[in-house]
Amino acid sequence: MHSPSPIVRRKSRQIHVGKVPVGGDAPISVQSMTNTDTLDVAATVAQIQRLEDAGADIVRVSVPCMDAAEAFGRIKQQVNVPLVADIHFDYKIALRVAELGVDCLRINPGNIGKEERVRAVVAAARDNGIPIRIGVNAGSLEKELQRKYGEPTPEALVESAMRHIDHLDRLDFQEYKVSVKASDVFMAVAAYRQLAKLIEQPLHLGITEAGGLRSGTVKSSIGLGMLLMDGIGDTIRVSLAADPVEEIKVGYDMLKSLRLRSKGINFIACPSCSRQNFDVIATMNALEERLEDIMTPLDVSVIGCVVNGPGEAKESDIGLTGGTPNNLIYIDGKPATKLTNDHLVDDLERLIREKVREKEQAEKDLIARGA
């Protein structure tokens, strides 16, 4: 539980999206995208704040027109999390949001148009210290590449990305990250693996249009998991046809399972069986809902019987093992107290929050001594 991840990450150049470092030795950041109407400033701000509360490091906002650019400026003033503006075709929108304090521009240089337009966008990015994300998608490849390859392929995605990269290289602009997304897991994984060998810039991972909450989570976990295990990836977005907050939750759970991030509670829970001495599923559902606000890293095991319970509990910050007549609580790997089923969730929540406060205070004391 507490040992470092065995994954050796690909070495990449570090850029900054606002206050968030991406690439290099920075933690893999988790991001999502708003699905409100950008012109509805209040609704968009509210959704961004919900995403930030869920732990989002970066949030992307679509800016399809100049009115949306002006709305984006008002949104930016009301939130703390770094914002990426998603822009296609109209380079003037990119110039405007650069003036309004955007933290990153998501563009394809190829669909911005003439060379002087790309040059203007890059100049605005350079002058304002704004990185660019080149976003290639299998569903919107250039027609020329579609004719060349006949259909989207990993090679087509990488060639498209390299064409866009060439635009920036000619302008001596290196502050960018790249994505080569596809809804097909094999295509996306192959494209990212190829691209990782060709450039030093950070890679933004995603399986685009992955599906609904369940199917999209499975597909994204397989695809992104394969790449993350390879050490590839500096920032991720789990694309789900669901509440964007769910994308953040799934993203962090994915990184926690690979020991690449440790924000919030890492639950270890059995699937339950007839040996259980309390309702494991109901207990877990209640705990996950009640403890969503906790961002302090903590390992909590919830095991219904004594077969695996003590072993898991000894490796956790707090462990619950089902027993007769009472359940046993371990704290820091040692038996601490017993709990009945009558108020099990309430008592366990109380112990977890006490442990969180203890860890937070220890961290504050450590910082104070270091200062």
Side-chain angles (χ1 to χ4, degrees):
M1 306 298 173
H2 300 287
S3 58
S5 175
I7 294 172
V8 178
R9 290 179 58 193
R10 160 185 171 266
K11 293 182 180 179
S12 62
R13 178 191 181 99
Q14 188 172 100
I15 65 173
H16 282 79
V17 178
K19 62 188 177 183
V20 176
V22 177
D25 60 355
I28 297 170
S29 52
V30 180
Q31 55 183 284
S32 182
M33 185 175 183
T34 57
N35 59 15
T36 53
D37 182 352
T38 304
L39 294 173
D40 188 338
V41 172
T44 304
V45 167
Q47 187 172 73
I48 292 171
Q49 289 173 340
R50 287 179 56 235
L51 288 167
E52 188 173 9
D53 290 342
D57 298 300
I58 299 168
V59 175
R60 181 157 48 112
V61 178
S62 179
V63 188
C65 62
M66 197 57 75
D67 285 344
E70 298 303 324
F72 179 90
R74 297 194 294 275
I75 293 165
K76 174 65 179 165
Q77 294 174 353
Q78 299 178 54
V79 300
N80 297 313
V81 68
L83 297 185
V84 179
D86 192 272
I87 297 165
H88 296 277
F89 307 116
D90 189 347
Y91 80 106
K92 293 180 181 178
I93 297 174
L95 300 182
R96 182 57 180 147
V97 294
E99 295 174 343
L100 294 170
V102 71
D103 296 295
C104 181
L105 294 169
R106 191 280 194 186
I107 64 169
N108 280 340
N111 69 23
I112 289 295
K114 299 176 181 178
E115 183 72 25
E116 60 265 26
R117 294 179 179 180
V118 176
R119 188 180 298 275
V121 172
V122 170
R126 196 193 315 273
D127 292 345
N128 291 280
I130 301 167
I132 288 173
R133 176 188 150 206
I134 295 173
V136 175
N137 193 303
S140 56
L141 281 171
E142 299 92 315
K143 291 182 180 179
E144 180 187 341
L145 290 176
Q146 292 180 34
R147 289 192 296 269
K148 177 178 178 179
Y149 290 94
E151 61 183 7
T153 66
E155 292 74 21
L157 290 173
V158 172
E159 183 171 338
S160 176
M162 294 307 297
R163 287 183 177 188
H164 301 322
I165 288 168
D166 286 344
H167 278 280
L168 302 187
D169 284 346
R170 287 198 302 272
L171 298 171
D172 193 27
F173 186 84
Q174 301 300 316
E175 300 301 300
Y176 62 86
K177 53 181 176 167
V178 188
S179 64
V180 280
K181 295 185 180 182
S183 58
D184 179 85
V185 168
F186 297 99
M187 188 186 307
V189 169
Y192 276 111
R193 284 175 171 167
Q194 290 179 29
L195 186 61
K197 298 176 182 178
L198 299 176
I199 65 172
E200 65 173 2
Q201 276 72 19
L203 295 178
H204 167 119
L205 300 189
I207 304 298
T208 193
E209 300 149 358
L213 180 56
R214 179 175 59 84
S215 60
T217 294
V218 172
K219 186 185 291 187
S220 295
S221 297
I222 293 171
L224 272 60
M226 293 169 70
L227 292 166
L228 292 167
M229 285 287 287
D230 286 347
I232 295 171
D234 302 286
T235 183
I236 66 171
R237 186 219 173 166
V238 180
S239 298
L240 302 175
D243 186 334
V245 168
E246 297 297 332
E247 299 184 350
I248 301 300
K249 295 178 184 177
V250 172
Y252 270 109
D253 285 343
M254 198 181 299
L255 295 178
K256 282 192 289 189
S257 70
L258 296 173
R259 293 187 229 146
L260 291 168
R261 286 292 293 267
S262 56
K263 180 180 285 188
I265 296 177
N266 176 40
F267 281 109
I268 300 97
C270 68
S272 79
C273 69
S274 60
R275 293 193 305 268
Q276 66 182 357
N277 290 284
F278 60 90
D279 189 333
V280 174
I281 293 175
T283 299
M284 276 303 305
N285 287 340
L287 288 174
E288 287 189 327
E289 182 177 349
R290 292 189 187 191
L291 300 170
E292 281 186 346
D293 61 299
I294 292 177
M295 293 296 156
T296 300
L298 201 73
D299 289 327
V300 175
S301 61
V302 179
I303 310 296
C305 75
V306 296
V307 174
N308 295 320
E312 294 288 359
K314 289 175 182 177
E315 300 297 325
S316 304
D317 295 299
I318 291 183
L320 169 63
T321 297
T324 304
N326 296 313
N327 308 300
L328 183 59
I329 288 288
Y330 290 72
I331 296 179
D332 294 328
K334 298 178 181 178
T337 188
K338 292 184 177 181
L339 299 180
T340 67
N341 286 349
D342 295 339
H343 308 287
L344 183 59
V345 174
D346 291 340
D347 291 338
L348 189 52
E349 180 187 4
R350 174 180 52 80
L351 290 170
I352 291 171
R353 290 192 181 277
E354 287 176 359
K355 187 62 177 176
V356 167
R357 287 192 291 271
E358 177 187 316
K359 289 192 74 171
E360 289 175 346
Q361 187 60 52
E363 181 68 21
K364 290 177 182 177
D365 292 343
L366 183 63
I367 293 172
R369 288 196 298 271

